[in-house]
Amino acid sequence: MQDELRPLVKSRQRVADHGEVFTPRWMVEDMLDLVKSETERIDSRFLEPACGSGNFLVPVLERKLTVVQSRYGQSNFERRHYALFGLMCIYGIELLPDNAAECRDNLVSTFARVLKLDADDGLVAAAGAVVAVNIVQGDALAMTDAHSTAIVFPEWAYIGRGKYQRRDFRFDALTQRSAASGTLFDAFEEHEIFTPLRAYPAMTFDQIARGSQHDHIRT
C-alpha cells in the first residue's frame, strides 16, 4: 500500500531542476513483465541509469529472491548465498545523493525482509557492502561519479561453496563492450582489451561485509 500512495514527485523544484518523476509500482511491474524471463534469472544483470530510490530495482530484486526461494528453499546455505548473488547482479546510477542513499537502503531492507534476516545478520552487512559499490551516485551520461571520476562497477560471481569473486571494470569500457556483445558483462576473456582494473581473491560474505577484500587486491 505504501508504494501505491507514494507521490510521483518529491517537489516541483526537483522536477524542474532534474526532471525527477517516479514511476508508479503497477507500471514498473507491467514493464518488467515485458522481460519476465530475465527478471526471473538469478544471474541476469540489471543496470538502471537513473535509479532514483529503487522503483525498478527493488521489484527486480523481489523477483530474483522469489526464484531463489523456489529453487534453493530447502537449503538455507544455498538460499542465503544465491540470494546475495541475485543482489550482486543489480546496478544503479543516480544523480541525486538522497535518492542514491534511499535506493541502497530500500534494496537492503527488501533483501532482509524477504529473507527474514535479523539486522545483525552478517548477510545483511554483506548486502550493504554490495549496494555501496553497485549503486553509484553519479552522472550516467558523463559516466562519472560524484567526484567526477570514471564510474567503476564490480562484476560479481558466485563460485560455490560460499565463495564469491569480484572484478572491477570501468563503466565506459563496459558500455563499449556491451555495444558489441549485447550485455554489460558478457563473456569476458583474459586476452581481451577490456581487462579489469582490479581483481580480488575469492571471498566469503563475511569478508565482503568486513571489507577485507580491500586489503588483498590483485592488480
Side-chain angles (χ1 to χ4, degrees), residues 36-48:
K36 189 172 186 293
S37 61
E38 290 299 311
T39 65
E40 294 176 349
R41 277 181 47 213
I42 299 169
D43 63 343
S44 63
R45 292 183 170 90
F46 281 80
L47 168 64
E48 172 55 57

Side-chain angles (χ1 to χ4, degrees), residues 45 85 88 155-160 163-167:
R45 292 183 170 90
F85 180 50
M88 287 172 165
E155 176 203 32
W156 300 95
Y158 180 50
I159 57 177
K163 294 290 186 71
Y164 303 89
Q165 285 186 330
R166 171 183 168 178
R167 299 190 301 170

Side-chain angles (χ1 to χ4, degrees), residues 76-120:
N76 191 48
F77 181 87
E78 296 293 355
R79 181 178 68 92
R80 286 164 62 87
H81 284 86
Y82 275 101
L84 185 61
F85 180 50
L87 177 62
M88 287 172 165
C89 294
I90 291 175
Y91 301 85
I93 303 170
E94 170 55 35
L95 186 63
L96 302 178
D98 59 334
N99 281 346
E102 189 175 350
C103 182
R104 297 186 193 105
D105 289 343
N106 287 340
L107 286 168
V108 173
S109 62
T110 298
F111 183 82
R113 172 179 56 80
V114 174
L115 269 68
K116 297 181 172 59
L117 302 175
D118 295 331
D120 59 353

